[in-house]
Amino acid sequence: MKSIKVIGTGRALPEKVLTNFDLEKMVDTSDQWIVERTGIRERRIADENTATSDLAAVALERACDKAGMKPADLDTIIVATSTPDTVYPATACWLQRRLGIAGSAAFDISAGCSGFLFALEVAANLLVTGTAKKAGVIGAEVMSKVVNWQDRATCVLFGDGAGAAVVVPGNGSSGILASNWGCDGNLAPLLYQPAGGTRMPTSEKTLREMAHTVHMEGNQVFKHAVRAMGNSSVKALQDAGLAAADVKLFIPHQANIRIMEEARVRAGIPPEKMYVVLHKYGNMSAATIPVAIDEAVEEGKLQDGDIILLTAFGTGFTWAAAVLRW
Ligand code: ACO
């Protein structure tokens, strides 16, 4: 086991709510289609002045409050995001600036919707080797600024938000019992943002063609997500020497209720153990898992010693799963 302890969690969600009924007025869609195909009822949308680091800062401050410390006490800050404030520097550095802190290692992880689990894995390894003593691990996204609001196949899916966890070395009673991660970059073109990097620098043409927004083959993503989240969950449980019945809470990445359900069934977890926030927030990419964890903690659904199974899938493609003793 990688002995670590989550000593505080927090979340930040923009105030503005965009419902399926609002979307009916923007594109050719319906509440019924969105609910039946995705399980999403509404999502939060950041205002024009809010960037990813702003949401990350609020989530991290709340997590630090719960942990009884200040962001300045952290020696390591990892932000998982696909919607950085800028191409460079890292959103984690903008986050330091926003909080008025300096000195800690601060870097981003780009692993799409699997980002929070990748960041947690990196943080755990830094903590157990002594490189880090107090880590802030954050998943934060402002998806609404990279979505094509004229494309009904994608704009109904996403939302904005951030979740954070303060993680420290454990005393042997809590931590990551087993975890795995993987990627298949050959499938990168199935879900990506074509323009804005060195492959296709931003130009009048890319703007006209909306190449700076999410491009996705939804059916392909769906198929791969179900398989990868199911397989990685089963493997993590096996490696931990546990059965599905040992799991108190299953928190999968929240992209689509049908993907989550199929992953749950493949992992052998009963429906009442799956924790869902998707209907309220849509797909917040790297933020969905830490936001869900924070809500579960707040509702008293996670107690010391409980086993939780986390799994995710995202652009890359990337996937990951982790079994934690809380
Ligand atoms: N409203 C109404 N109709 C729509 C909408 C919409 N918002 N979007 C698509 N349609 C139409 C399509 O045009 C199509 O019409 P047609 O049959 O006349 O051609 C019809 O609905 C069916 O489209 P499909 O794409 O086959 O619908 P599907 O059941 O596959 O659902 C969806 C689409 C929801 C995108 C699904 O494929 C999905 O969830 N995929 C995963 C995508 C995802 O989660 N991406 C997030 C990033 S990765 C991650 O987080 C795991």
Side-chain angles (χ1 to χ4, degrees):
M1 177 174 82
K2 292 185 188 110
S3 178
I4 57 165
K5 179 90 188 154
V6 176
I7 58 168
T9 60
R11 65 184 185 275
L13 295 153
E15 272 177 30
K16 184 180 169 188
V17 176
L18 186 73
T19 67
N20 293 348
F21 299 104
D22 296 326
L23 280 163
E24 284 181 355
K25 295 176 201 132
M26 297 162 61
V27 287
D28 181 14
T29 191
S30 66
D31 173 62
Q32 189 189 353
W33 191 96
I34 301 171
V35 171
E36 282 177 9
R37 298 294 178 110
T38 74
I40 300 165
R41 292 185 181 276
E42 57 188 46
R43 68 288 291 143
R44 300 298 180 92
I45 304 293
D47 65 42
E48 61 177 330
N49 298 317
T50 300
T52 299
S53 67
D54 299 318
L55 296 179
V58 174
L60 183 61
E61 277 184 317
R62 288 179 178 160
C64 285
D65 271 354
K66 300 241 186 71
M69 62 166 72
K70 300 270 176 235
D73 300 328
L74 299 168
D75 55 38
T76 306
I77 296 175
I78 310 177
V79 176
T81 188
S82 301
T83 51
D85 285 26
T86 53
V87 174
Y88 63 87
T91 299
C93 296
W94 290 115
L95 169 62
Q96 284 184 311
R97 181 179 160 88
R98 176 81 162 65
L99 295 172
I101 59 173
S104 49
F107 58 95
D108 290 0
I109 284 189
S110 173
C113 306
S114 309
F116 183 78
L117 291 189
F118 275 50
L120 187 63
E121 184 68 38
V122 171
N125 282 280
L126 294 174
L127 290 163
V128 296
T129 56
T131 306
K133 299 264 186 279
K134 291 173 184 165
V137 183
I138 303 134
E141 306 280 5
V142 177
M143 294 301 297
S144 63
K145 294 193 185 179
V146 298
V147 158
N148 179 352
W149 287 102
Q150 268 119 50
D151 176 16
R152 67 176 183 175
T154 52
C155 75
V156 303
L157 303 176
F158 297 100
D160 303 334
V166 174
V167 194
V168 297
N171 63 8
S173 62
S174 62
I176 299 180
L177 298 173
S179 57
N180 59 72
W181 57 4
C183 307
D184 184 353
N186 297 294
L187 301 172
L190 296 178
L191 173 54
Y192 77 130
Q193 190 179 317
T198 53
R199 179 68 62 196
M200 194 190 287
T202 308
S203 66
E204 283 181 20
K205 182 169 179 283
T206 63
L207 285 175
R208 228 178 11 254
E209 293 173 353
M210 299 300 279
H212 57 291
T213 60
V214 175
H215 283 52
M216 180 180 76
E217 291 191 29
N219 289 328
Q220 289 292 324
V221 174
F222 193 104
K223 200 175 70 187
H224 287 280
V226 165
R227 195 182 306 140
M229 286 167 70
N231 290 347
S232 58
S233 296
V234 168
K235 179 167 173 24
L237 277 176
Q238 272 169 359
D239 291 347
L242 294 175
D246 298 318
V247 174
K248 171 87 182 298
L249 224 50
F250 174 55
I251 306 183
H253 166 53
Q254 321 248 323
N256 179 317
I257 195 71
R258 293 183 297 142
I259 296 177
M260 293 162 66
E261 278 295 340
E262 292 203 29
R264 177 188 68 71
V265 169
R266 284 173 188 233
I269 308 283
E272 65 277 10
K273 289 189 174 174
M274 184 163 80
Y275 194 75
V276 183
V277 297
L278 172 79
H279 53 295
K280 299 187 282 187
Y281 307 133
N283 181 354
M284 300 178 290
S285 189
T288 68
I289 289 179
V291 166
I293 290 175
D294 186 48
E295 293 205 357
V297 168
E298 206 168 86
E299 288 174 11
K301 292 212 153 82
L302 276 179
Q303 307 296 335
D304 284 356
D306 285 346
I307 300 294
I308 57 170
L309 173 60
L310 310 173
T311 185
F313 179 86
T315 178
F317 288 153
T318 58
W319 58 88
V323 178
L324 267 72
R325 179 174 289 128
W326 193 251

